[in-house]
Structure formats: C-alpha cells, structure tokens
Amino acid sequence: MSSENADAVSGQGEPEREVPVWDVVVVGAGPAGASAAYAAAVAGRRVLLLEKAELPRYKTCGGGIIGPSRDALPPGFELPLQDRVHAVTFSLNGRLSRTRRSRRMLFGLVNRSEFDAGLVEQAQKAGAELRTGATVSRVEQHGPAVPDRRTVAVVLADGETVLARAVVGADGSASRIGAHVGVKLEQVDLGLEAEIPVPATVAEDWAGRVLIDWGPMPGSYGWVFPKGETLTVGVISARGDGAATKRYLEDFIARLGLSGFEPAVSSGHLTRCRAEDSPLSRGRVLVCGDAAGLLEPWTREGISFALRSGRLAGEWAVRIAEANDGVDARRQALNYAFAIKAGLGVEMAVGRRLLTIFERRPGLLHATLSGFRPVWKAFADITRGSTSLAGIVRSRAMVRRALEALDRVQPTDAGPDGRAGGETGGAAGDPDSDGAVVSP
C-alpha cells in the first residue's frame, strides 16, 4: 500500500483512525479472480482477494485445460492433471460414434478444486492477501462510505467496508459486481454434471479419451471426462426446459452403462454469455470471467476466457488504481474493454455463428468434425493452443467461405435420432470403428 493510501475517518465521540485503502480488491477467487490478483500483485500493488467460500471448494466444471488456458497460467505453474487426452470420441445423440486419435496431447483434465487452489496460491506468492468467508453484498462509488472520488467501497455482508482504488469483479455468473456494472446477458444455458467413481477396469477403458455427444435438443451436448478412477459426466442445453435436460443426462448415463454407479457429486449450474454491447466496467470497477459473461458460446468453454480476461483485468486495474481523476480512470477502463473485445470478443463472435449452425444442422457438424480431416486438424490445433477460432477464420479463406455458406443454410427436419436427414452418411466412416491414428 502506497503512503497516500490511507484516509482518516471519524466516528462521533471517537478519535480518528486510519482505514487502509487497497490498490486493487478482487472479488471471487476462481480462475478469473486469482489471475487478476496475480497480475496486479506481480506489478507491485497491494491486492486483497475476497472469496465467500472456504478453499478448496468444489465447482461444477468439466475441467478441460486447452492450450489457451495453459498459455495464460502464471510462469512455473504446474497443472494438477488427472489425465492427458489423446483421443476424442464424437457421437450424435448416441449414434454414429467415431473416435479420432492423436499422438500428441490434445488437452489436459483437472479437478477444479485443486486447480483453483493452486492459482490462488500463486497469487498469494506474488503478494496478494486472501480473505475467505467474505461475502460481498455491494460496491459503492458514491455516498458516505466513499471518502473521495479515487476510492471504491466494497461492502461485505457483515457490514464491514473495504476501500480500494480499483475493484475487479470475478464473482461468477450470478455476479453482484456484474449487476453493479450493468452486465447484459443474451444466452443462458443449464449444465448438469455427475462425478461418478468407477472401478479400475472401467476407468482403464476411458483413460486418455473423452466423449463428446451432440444432444437431442438444439444446441445441447454431453461429455465424459476421465479423471483417474472418477468420470465427470455432464450435459448442457439452453435454459428453459430443465426436465428435458435432466432426462438427457439420465439417458446419457444409462446409455454409457454407468447407471449402476453412485455419483459422488451431482450438481448443476447456469452459464451466462454476454451481449455484444454489454459493459465491462463502471467507474473504477471492472468485471471479467463469468461475472462479465465471457465464455465461448458454442462449447460454453469458460476456463480459458476466465484466465485471459482475469489477467487483463488485473493489469488494467493497476492503471485505474494509479489514475488521479475520473477521466483517466474511464480512459483506462475503455482500454480494458477494447483489449477484451479485440481478442476474446472476436472469438465469441465466431462461437455464436458456430452455435447457430450447430442448432440448425447438428448432423452436418458431426459429419465434418468426425470425418473430415482438415476440420479435425483445426479442432486439434485449437485445443492445443496453436490457433483459435478467430485465428482460423482470419487465416483460412476456405473456412470463411464454408461459414458463410453454412450461415445461409436453412434448418431441415431432424430424423428420429435427432440429426438432419442424410447429412452424416459416409462422411463419418464406419460408426463402429475408431478413426485412424491422426497426428496433425
């Protein structure tokens, strides 16, 4: 804390006392918040990281760590990998199964409790202070709790007020800080998940391989992620018909032959995707990760978006903390928004187009991804982090033309298995055989 970071407050009949003003206060200790705290602390600022839960804590999440996530981690961070994925089985509502393999690892799998705790530890090593069991009820940028225009008041549920020069909201998809900023959401999905312990013989069948099943409802899909002797099995679909989503999960688990195993954890959560014109800041307050509605709309992948936006939020929060007036603070906040939109925003725009295509023609997408080698190679490159959705669209004219053509495709009636008629024929190859070993 710099020498100027103290403000005198007085109570009636009490002597004046000094209340510390933190340079940056981060609300929420998930991947976005821990990344923001780390970035601000590495810059030499006094950082307070507030988390309402006690750590480590369980999070409903597949736990896939793709290349962009790995590349956004603090230097020297060792991933607590439970498995390394070298194969992906794709199926269309349980049919037309096809496995694609790679000699090189595609992505890794982690338990979120261990992963998040490791990121918080990195932030602490960089100098951030952690407070757990601290629930934030609101933030104030005006009023009696705010001593000056350079300060934000973070009010806790127990009535305590914490003062900061800048605040980063990383408090999840139901964010109180996001409500303060005015985050607008245009896509809300329901994810249901079960952590299923299985015998070693079953676990061996899944080691190094994940399953992606394109589901029966528009835009839905399911997954199996192996983590040692536990399988993370989940489904996601648009919010609005929770009963149908629950049936999909139950049918999915039964189809996999896993109904006889008791889940250790069954949970659900909502993922929320921002509207394109949604704000990312208000005054000296920034939002990132799920609190900002930042995730990939098609796959709903959020860890890489949390890590990358969190790092940017921490870096720009440092600049906002240094701003001497509101004009400079707003300028820095606009620069943060520009950085987000120029990178993650472009990826989200491509993801929205893919989601629309997937909702219209799931069978066509399944056929091309599982049976067309250039598309599989692009998928593998994205998961490894050598490119991104936006990068592929920018650099490959054929992909741009294909997306433009698919944008014009009208939906067709689905067959009894949920696919558009005749789309997956021979392109996917023999549905009962694994794909050849592929090493793009």
Side-chain angles (χ1 to χ4, degrees):
M1 180 171 50
S2 59
S3 59
E4 66 179 355
N5 282 357
D7 297 285
V9 296
S10 60
Q12 187 173 2
E14 298 178 356
E16 288 189 348
R17 60 184 176 88
E18 290 187 345
V19 176
V21 181
W22 296 87
D23 293 321
V24 178
V25 168
V26 180
V27 182
S35 296
Y38 174 85
V42 162
R45 298 302 182 268
R46 286 293 302 275
V47 180
L48 177 63
L49 178 58
L50 300 174
E51 167 59 43
K52 66 180 180 181
E54 298 296 331
L55 299 178
R57 44 65 176 131
Y58 177 81
K59 277 285 187 179
T60 303
C61 180
I65 304 298
I66 60 175
S69 298
R70 183 197 61 235
D71 295 342
L73 294 170
F77 182 84
E78 293 188 12
L79 280 166
L81 293 180
Q82 300 297 312
D83 205 343
R84 292 168 170 80
V85 176
H86 288 263
V88 181
T89 298
F90 298 100
S91 62
L92 185 61
N93 197 23
R95 303 187 180 193
L96 300 172
S97 177
R98 178 79 183 274
T99 297
R100 303 304 302 251
R101 302 182 186 276
S102 173
R103 293 187 181 93
R104 288 187 291 153
M105 187 178 83
L106 296 167
F107 57 95
L109 299 173
V110 299
N111 290 323
R112 278 289 304 276
S113 58
E114 297 175 7
F115 179 67
D116 291 12
L119 290 173
V120 170
E121 183 179 351
Q122 290 293 311
Q124 289 177 288
K125 288 180 179 178
E129 182 173 320
L130 171 68
R131 284 181 58 182
T132 59
T135 300
V136 173
S137 61
R138 66 185 185 279
V139 293
E140 297 179 4
Q141 300 194 63
H142 306 283
V146 182
D148 58 58
R149 294 183 179 180
R150 290 190 59 212
T151 307
V152 181
V154 180
V155 183
L156 306 185
D158 62 5
E160 180 186 354
T161 296
V162 177
L163 301 180
R165 296 296 185 211
V167 171
V168 176
D171 49 332
S173 60
S175 169
R176 292 183 182 273
I177 312 302
H180 172 82
V181 167
V183 172
K184 295 187 291 183
L185 306 166
E186 70 173 9
Q187 176 186 329
V188 182
D189 297 290
L190 171 64
L192 300 177
E193 196 168 75
E195 303 283 355
I196 305 177
V198 294
T201 53
V202 176
E204 288 171 5
D205 292 338
W206 287 97
R209 178 174 65 95
V210 302
L211 169 65
I212 304 295
D213 177 75
W214 313 117
M217 296 166 286
S220 67
Y221 75 96
W223 61 88
V224 178
F225 285 0
K227 299 171 184 175
E229 294 189 354
T230 296
L231 301 179
T232 298
V233 183
V235 301
I236 195 163
S237 66
R239 182 181 66 172
D241 194 344
T245 306
K246 184 179 180 181
R247 284 195 302 273
Y248 177 27
L249 178 61
E250 292 171 348
D251 294 344
F252 186 42
I253 291 173
R255 184 198 313 152
L256 295 167
L258 300 174
S259 295
F261 305 115
E262 185 68 24
V265 180
S266 295
S267 62
H269 72 295
L270 294 176
T271 63
R272 296 175 168 90
C273 194
R274 70 188 294 272
E276 289 190 68
D277 63 345
S278 178
L280 291 161
S281 67
R282 178 180 174 184
R284 291 176 175 268
V285 178
L286 306 177
V287 287
C288 59
D290 286 345
L294 291 168
L295 71 158
E296 199 278 291
W298 172 38
T299 63
R300 290 79 155 187
E301 191 278 321
I303 294 178
S304 76
F305 280 72
L307 292 168
R308 290 180 285 173
S309 65
R311 185 188 66 230
L312 290 171
E315 292 170 354
W316 289 106
V318 168
R319 295 173 172 86
I320 291 172
E322 295 170 345
N324 290 318
D325 55 47
V327 173
D328 191 19
R330 284 192 293 274
R331 182 184 304 115
Q332 302 303 336
L334 286 172
N335 287 337
Y336 166 69
F338 177 80
I340 291 291
K341 293 174 182 177
L344 301 181
V346 175
E347 291 183 33
M348 292 181 70
V350 176
R352 289 188 184 95
R353 293 173 70 184
L354 287 172
L355 176 63
T356 299
I357 293 166
F358 175 49
E359 289 173 336
R360 292 175 177 175
R361 292 288 188 95
L364 180 60
L365 185 141
H366 173 71
T368 55
L369 186 53
S370 64
F372 189 43
R373 189 176 187 279
V375 177
W376 161 252
K377 184 179 185 302
F379 174 87
D381 287 344
I382 290 169
T383 61
R384 293 193 186 106
S386 57
T387 188
S388 66
L389 280 174
I392 286 176
V393 173
R394 282 195 300 264
S395 63
R396 303 184 190 182
M398 183 180 72
V399 174
R400 284 199 304 274
R401 289 194 293 270
L403 277 176
E404 289 165 359
L406 287 168
D407 283 341
R408 296 190 292 270
V409 170
Q410 296 300 313
T412 60
D413 292 335
D417 60 356
R419 64 185 176 94
E423 289 174 346
T424 53
D430 179 1
D432 296 321
S433 67
D434 284 353
V437 173
V438 180
S439 294

